[in-house]
Amino acid sequence: MIGQRESVSGAHFAFTDRWGGVSAAPYEELNLGGAVGDTPEAVKANRETAAEALGLDPARVVWMNQVHGAEVAVVDEPWGTGVHPLRRSREGGTPVPEVDALVTARRGLALAVLTADCVPVLLADPVAGVVAAAHAGRPGMVKGVVPAAVRAMVELGAAPERIVARTGPAVCGRCYEVPESMRAEVAAVEPTAHAETSWGTPAVDVSAGVHAQLERLGVCDRAQSPVCTLESDDHFSYRRDRITGRLAGYVWLD
Ligand SMILES: [Zn+2]
């Protein structure tokens, strides 16, 4: 259910694993992604189950329509369930926007990021009362979605040296095989992402790239999940299974 959880000065960080939900194969069990082919009823039930385990009101969890970009949305309120990302919310409000990072200064509002191999990035400045969630796959890391999220936090009063950063389960640099040309393109932007698979072929380490970006911005309090999604049977992995569920990372302030 909740694979990792941590609280720092009233800021809360959590990452799910794949167990404890109601989804049938190949989304078993706790699929939290609404755009992967699972039934909306199962996703809704799973999101409620995960929220309950975290002590959150599922109606106060904000999701994104992630598109591997670097756009950031500042939010004060939820915009609907997000189970159908392209459908307008029941309230008749705005559709869930196509962004890969959310920022809020609203206490008690939880921000959620969906992944299955990409890097879920959770950020919080407990002093300023500002949190962010970002989806950083290879394209998002290269486009700078995480620095964009940090800049948006700073505009709301956060200071990089106070930001606590946690990255969740993701495919590791020893497993994420890419063509040589792709590794070169990524490394030209973020040299620390240059990696090699355990079998000796070109690879990309997205988590290493994200942490290097955060370090350059002055974010010192950083921690990275030791879990590789592709190697772990307890986590969804798109590269391993293709049709599969999505894990979620949640960040919020008391
Ligand atoms: Zn791995």
Side-chain angles (χ1 to χ4, degrees), residues 1-4 14-21 27-32 46 50 115 169 227 229 232-236 245-250:
M1 176 85 68
I2 307 302
Q4 303 170 47
F15 297 102
T16 62
D17 62 30
R18 73 180 295 166
W19 306 121
Y27 309 105
E28 77 280 18
E29 296 171 345
L30 190 70
N31 167 45
L32 297 163
N46 290 340
T115 59
V227 172
T229 45
S232 168
D233 292 335
D234 296 324
H235 295 78
F236 297 117
R246 292 294 179 272
L247 308 161
Y250 299 81

Side-chain angles (χ1 to χ4, degrees), residues 52-140:
E52 187 180 357
L54 294 168
L56 293 169
D57 175 353
R60 302 290 294 165
V61 178
V62 189
W63 303 88
M64 312 177 241
N65 186 9
Q66 301 166 185
V67 291
H68 290 286
E71 296 296 318
V72 183
V74 176
V75 293
D76 293 317
E77 294 294 335
W79 39 54
T81 66
V83 171
H84 301 285
L86 299 175
R87 192 176 293 173
R88 285 179 184 277
S89 69
R90 282 191 303 264
E91 295 79 7
T94 52
V96 176
E98 292 185 343
V99 296
D100 289 87
L102 295 172
V103 177
T104 191
R106 183 63 60 93
R107 292 183 181 275
L109 189 66
L111 308 179
V113 49
L114 295 164
T115 59
D117 291 341
C118 291
V119 182
V121 184
L122 306 179
L123 307 167
D125 178 343
V127 176
V130 180
V131 297
H135 164 246
R138 176 181 47 78

Side-chain angles (χ1 to χ4, degrees), residues 94-188:
T94 52
V96 176
E98 292 185 343
V99 296
D100 289 87
L102 295 172
V103 177
T104 191
R106 183 63 60 93
R107 292 183 181 275
L109 189 66
L111 308 179
V113 49
L114 295 164
T115 59
D117 291 341
C118 291
V119 182
V121 184
L122 306 179
L123 307 167
D125 178 343
V127 176
V130 180
V131 297
H135 164 246
R138 176 181 47 78
M141 186 271 288
V142 169
K143 291 173 187 168
V145 67
V146 176
V150 171
R151 284 193 295 272
M153 291 178 72
V154 168
E155 285 178 20
L156 292 176
E161 62 272 20
R162 287 195 305 250
I163 292 177
V164 179
R166 298 291 181 263
T167 63
V171 63
C172 80
R174 296 179 308 281
C175 290
Y176 189 2
E177 183 178 51
V178 296
E180 174 70 59
S181 60
M182 184 178 285
R183 178 172 71 174
E185 285 169 25
V186 173

